[in-house]
Amino acid sequence: MAFWRLLSNATKNKQIPLQIYAVADPNPSLCHISAFAIREYSTSFLITKTPKSQKKKRKKKESARTKHVQHESERIPHFEKILNRDNHFRFVVKTKDYLLKQPQQVLRLDDAGKLYRELGFPRGRKVLKFIQRHPLVFQTYRHSNDKIWFGFTDFMETFLEEEKTIMDEMENDRITTVRKLLMMSANKRIPLSKIYHCRSLFGIPEDFRDRVRKYPEYFNTIVEEDGKRILELVNWDPKLAISTLEQQFMVDEDRAKKAFQFKVKHGKSLNLDEQDERKLNLLNTLPLISPYSDGASLDLWTLEAEKYRVGVLHEFLSLTLEKRASIHHIVEFKEELSLTKHTYAMLLKQPRSFYLAGTEMNWAVFLKDAYGEDGVLIHKDPQVLFNEKFCEFADKQELEID
């Protein structure tokens, strides 16, 4: 027992060498361990730390902010490029819209540097560098108080007159768009602030809140107790209650049937071929639910409710200028369109009609049929043509004179 006590103490004091040999005593009565030798001191009971260099690196889960919606093999490049283009022109487009709301359409540079969200440039960056990238659109000047201001160039002022003309010419179309939005909404009413916030999505002019007063036969504006202004539908027009998909059905019935797919779950024992499976799925898919029906009254998690929500989003995208919308636009109208938090997953299940581009946190949905195989809109609104022309000039450093 004395030897084991000695061995234990030595372990604590780290005095034991790697190999310990007990010398056999000729007199076995004097030593109880004379019959064996301890060949190697074991440290298996000690807690050891693996060096960092030998540790297996655990793969970090990709953030929803950077993870793409589509797998690389399934991405459609021309849709992804459209979002990259939006990012490239974010500053010039947002700054243009912000300046148009200013009384004199000018802004002091010191104030602009604090408006990174409103003007669309990264926080901490100098706004002057972004202004100087677009010399045909913006110009700076020093005021008498020695402060630097910036506004539109003379060329841009002329360009904006062209846009104003388009807005006036397309007013009736925009009024129809808003009427259809109200007819789709749950209570046939939408806060004016929501329409204003998403005005560029539908080509609605900046002064739309004033223009609606000219159409009392269509709209009624009420002010709630909290001061919120609500736009209400006055008259229901059955001629407008025909969706884009219904119009397509009249022209090409088979194509319209293929727009959506609501699969019927079945066992493998049925051994269905592709054609039989398609016919079975049509039992679920048809009839479609009109986006102009009362979707709010449907039981939330039924097949009919999901068919209604898919149809509503299809019609919503059909009303937009470029037949696409971002997650932020869709969330804006979530209550009015009776959407749920599962909208993202629902759209992914309908790849025939919708394509989701971007990242899981910041995605946009495209109406695939509205684009050609080259990724170009088949039918372009005059406002879309103007926007393309504006972006083309915004990227130039000097005006080309023929």
Side-chain angles (χ1 to χ4, degrees):
M1 292 299 292
F3 173 81
W4 294 114
R5 206 174 288 118
L6 177 65
L7 180 62
S8 175
N9 292 334
T11 303
K12 292 178 182 178
N13 298 325
K14 298 181 181 179
Q15 293 174 355
I16 297 180
L18 274 177
Q19 293 186 332
I20 301 177
Y21 296 94
V23 182
D25 195 329
N27 188 355
S29 62
L30 296 177
C31 183
H32 296 285
I33 61 168
S34 58
F36 71 93
I38 303 176
R39 295 277 179 191
E40 186 176 345
Y41 175 62
S42 174
T43 59
S44 61
F45 61 90
L46 296 178
I47 299 174
T48 56
K49 211 170 186 181
T50 307
K52 287 184 179 179
S53 59
Q54 295 180 15
K55 281 185 177 179
K56 288 184 180 179
K57 292 183 179 178
R58 187 178 296 175
K59 193 175 181 180
K60 290 183 179 179
K61 189 178 180 181
E62 195 171 356
S63 168
R65 191 182 296 275
T66 57
K67 186 178 180 181
H68 283 268
V69 174
Q70 305 290 347
H71 187 271
E72 191 173 355
S73 60
E74 298 176 348
R75 288 176 205 162
I76 301 178
H78 54 250
F79 287 136
E80 303 290 344
K81 284 179 181 177
I82 291 174
L83 294 192
N84 292 335
R85 184 198 68 188
D86 289 350
N87 291 332
H88 178 72
F89 291 107
R90 178 181 286 113
F91 172 78
V92 68
V93 170
K94 293 193 75 170
T95 303
K96 163 185 159 293
D97 291 343
Y98 192 84
L99 281 176
L100 285 172
K101 292 187 288 186
Q102 306 308 306
Q104 304 298 322
Q105 295 184 354
V106 293
L107 192 61
R108 197 170 67 173
L109 198 63
D110 291 344
D111 296 332
K114 303 170 186 176
L115 301 171
Y116 57 91
R117 286 194 185 92
E118 291 81 354
L119 303 185
F121 66 94
R123 184 177 184 178
R125 302 286 289 276
K126 291 186 177 180
V127 68
L128 182 60
K129 289 185 177 180
F130 289 87
I131 293 170
Q132 291 172 340
R133 290 178 186 175
H134 310 286
L136 293 182
V137 181
F138 307 120
Q139 64 179 354
T140 58
Y141 63 93
R142 193 174 292 276
H143 199 262
S144 56
N145 60 3
D146 208 35
K147 294 289 184 180
I148 298 177
W149 294 65
F150 82 98
F152 295 122
T153 61
D154 293 338
F155 167 77
M156 188 60 188
E157 295 281 2
T158 307
F159 208 65
L160 290 172
E161 287 298 319
E162 182 182 337
E163 184 177 33
K164 188 177 182 301
T165 302
I166 292 172
M167 293 285 188
D168 293 338
E169 291 174 352
M170 299 301 294
E171 183 171 311
N172 288 335
D173 290 65
R174 306 308 182 226
I175 291 296
T176 300
T177 296
V178 176
R179 289 174 68 193
K180 287 173 78 74
L181 278 173
L182 285 167
M183 288 170 67
M184 279 197 298
S185 63
N187 298 309
K188 311 299 176 278
R189 60 205 302 266
I190 301 174
L192 265 171
S193 59
K194 291 191 175 186
I195 298 174
Y196 177 79
H197 183 254
C198 298
R199 65 190 183 281
S200 59
L201 190 67
F202 303 102
I204 295 171
E206 167 73 26
D207 59 349
F208 176 77
R209 288 175 288 192
D210 298 323
R211 295 194 187 206
V212 293
R213 295 172 184 170
K214 297 189 296 182
Y215 302 94
E217 68 276 22
Y218 300 144
F219 309 115
N220 180 35
T221 305
I222 62 170
V223 181
E224 294 188 336
E225 293 180 0
D226 57 358
K228 186 184 291 184
R229 295 171 67 188
I230 306 294
L231 192 66
E232 285 187 331
L233 183 71
V234 173
N235 290 316
W236 179 273
D237 189 346
K239 294 178 183 178
L240 295 181
I242 302 173
S243 68
T244 304
L245 202 60
E246 287 176 288
Q247 293 172 13
Q248 290 176 2
F249 192 87
M250 297 174 190
V251 178
D252 190 345
E253 182 179 333
D254 194 51
R255 184 183 175 186
K257 284 179 180 179
K258 293 178 181 178
F260 305 129
Q261 186 178 35
F262 297 91
K263 293 184 178 181
V264 177
K265 293 182 180 180
H266 60 83
K268 292 182 180 180
S269 58
L270 287 177
N271 196 25
L272 299 177
D273 58 24
E274 188 176 342
Q275 188 176 358
D276 290 336
E277 194 169 341
R278 181 172 171 271
K279 288 179 180 178
L280 185 63
N281 290 335
L282 275 176
L283 296 175
N284 252 6
T285 304
L286 299 177
L288 298 174
I289 308 296
S290 172
Y292 296 100
S293 59
D294 187 11
S297 64
L298 296 171
D299 193 359
L300 195 61
W301 304 115
T302 59
L303 177 63
E304 286 72 22
E306 185 174 349
K307 287 161 70 172
Y308 166 77
R309 289 192 290 269
V310 168
V312 159
L313 282 173
H314 189 283
E315 185 69 2
F316 178 83
L317 294 174
S318 299
L319 295 176
T320 63
L321 289 180
E322 296 188 46
K323 315 308 174 192
R324 64 186 177 102
S326 73
I327 176 178
H328 310 292
H329 296 130
I330 292 173
V331 169
E332 192 78 44
F333 292 95
K334 180 182 175 182
E335 293 178 7
E336 286 74 17
L337 301 181
S338 304
L339 300 176
T340 69
K341 63 181 180 180
H342 302 295
T343 299
Y344 171 80
M346 182 185 72
L347 290 171
L348 283 176
K349 290 193 294 183
Q350 304 295 338
R352 293 179 179 179
S353 291
F354 306 119
Y355 177 82
L356 272 69
T359 62
E360 290 183 351
M361 184 175 285
N362 190 20
W363 50 266
V365 57
F366 291 79
L367 205 56
K368 290 171 76 173
D369 286 348
Y371 289 80
E373 293 182 1
D374 55 357
V376 177
L377 265 174
I378 296 172
H379 302 292
K380 292 187 178 181
D381 186 275
Q383 184 65 46
V384 174
L385 294 171
F386 172 84
N387 292 343
E388 290 178 351
K389 187 178 175 183
F390 167 67
C391 290
E392 183 183 343
F393 280 111
D395 248 6
K396 293 182 178 179
Q397 294 302 304
E398 56 183 20
L399 192 61
E400 296 174 3
I401 302 175
D402 296 331

